[in-house]
Amino acid sequence: MAKVLSKEEWKKRKKLYAYLKLAAAALLALLIVLILLIGLIKVAKNLFSKGTPDTPAAPSMKQELNITELFLTPNVYTRPQNSLKEVKGIIIHYVAGAGTTAVETRNYYEGLKVNSTSKTAESCHFIIGSDGEIVQCIPTDEIACASGARNEDTIAITFCHPQADGEPSAQTYDSLLKLTTYLCKTYGLTKDAVLRHSDLGDQLCPKYFAQQEGKWAAFLAELDTAVGKTAGEKK
Ligand SMILES: [Zn+2]
């Protein structure tokens, strides 16, 4: 049987309901403020981040590149572990030994860790093989020993070639283009920051591109298009 409430009890119950209503309203208000605040933080983040270099298109591009990391053992000659603080350019080299594979080149660098001199010390961040495979020997936040004074602010790529003329195979060329595009995107660089080793001095490196201005110009033009194409691919 339902209890019959006295007048006093009714009053109490009414008061309780009023409090409950107030509490619910306060909770709802708090929730709305919280949602608004989160939205505001998100907007502010977007406003101030201005696309950090590593965001656009980079992750999916990197996956496609299929890079094998075979980092050199840290040593004073080929992997001194000096930090590469800011990447301002990309320098392209060739391995010079016709028919050498990417892994062989990496192992050659590794062998230089003993009985080397500062003159014979040689390494690169990335080596592209004749089948287009990419081996990374040095993390991109450390310097490589490839480009003299520009070791301090550049990433070095070298590529394998079947013949002494230094011409890359079609697969090597393709990987070189893709890797350079990816690095340009990652560090916010344009084709103007991509140089041949020969552009730094009198080395004939990479021989094929150093000897044939037209081929190099064509590569840079393709690079320019590729970098431009992926520019809007934000995710
Ligand atoms: Zn070189």
Side-chain angles (χ1 to χ4, degrees), residues 3 5 46 107 123 126 134 150-151 153 164 171 179 184 190 204 207 213 223:
K3 196 184 159 202
L5 295 173
N46 278 340
N107 292 342
S123 61
F126 298 96
I134 302 173
R150 292 303 302 273
N151 286 338
D153 66 353
Q171 294 101 307
L179 177 62
C184 279
T190 67
L204 193 68
K207 190 177 174 187
E213 291 297 334
L223 176 69

Side-chain angles (χ1 to χ4, degrees), residues 92-94 146 197 205:
I92 312 291
H93 305 258
Y94 81 136
H197 189 189
C205 173

Side-chain angles (χ1 to χ4, degrees), residues 91-94 122 124 146-147 158 196-198 203-206:
I91 314 286
I92 312 291
H93 305 258
Y94 81 136
E122 187 190 350
C124 259
S147 317
T158 192
R196 296 166 290 187
H197 189 189
S198 58
Q203 265 94 358
L204 193 68
C205 173

Side-chain angles (χ1 to χ4, degrees), residues 8-158:
E8 208 50 39
E9 280 171 322
W10 265 116
K11 261 190 182 167
K12 257 192 193 165
R13 188 163 282 193
K14 246 180 148 178
K15 230 181 189 173
L16 186 73
Y17 281 149
Y19 280 135
L20 277 175
K21 257 191 200 167
L22 206 71
L27 215 72
L28 197 71
L30 199 76
L31 208 73
I32 289 168
V33 168
L34 219 77
I35 288 168
L36 279 176
L37 212 72
I38 289 170
L40 217 77
I41 288 170
K42 269 191 179 165
V43 168
K45 253 190 183 166
N46 278 340
L47 269 179
F48 294 112
S49 72
K50 259 199 275 177
T52 42
D54 209 13
T55 42
S60 63
M61 282 182 74
K62 191 173 183 187
Q63 262 178 2
E64 201 192 317
L65 286 170
N66 197 14
I67 297 167
T68 306
E69 288 179 356
L70 291 173
F71 292 154
L72 303 178
T73 311
N75 70 90
V76 288
Y77 302 113
T78 56
R79 190 184 164 195
Q81 292 191 292
N82 298 1
S83 73
L84 178 54
K85 291 184 193 82
E86 194 187 352
V87 178
K88 291 183 184 159
I90 297 160
I91 314 286
I92 312 291
H93 305 258
Y94 81 136
V95 297
T100 316
T101 69
V103 171
E104 278 168 359
T105 305
R106 181 263 169 206
N107 292 342
Y108 165 68
Y109 296 154
E110 177 72 10
L112 294 176
K113 69 186 173 193
V114 284
N115 300 326
S116 207
T117 66
S118 57
K119 279 217 168 117
T120 56
E122 187 190 350
S123 61
C124 259
H125 290 96
F126 298 96
I127 308 165
I128 304 176
S130 287
D131 295 325
E133 75 276 22
I134 302 173
V135 171
Q136 184 175 4
C137 322
I138 296 185
T140 49
D141 59 356
E142 291 179 27
I143 67 152
C145 304
S147 317
R150 292 303 302 273
N151 286 338
E152 305 303 319
D153 66 353
T154 59
I155 284 185
I157 304 174
T158 192

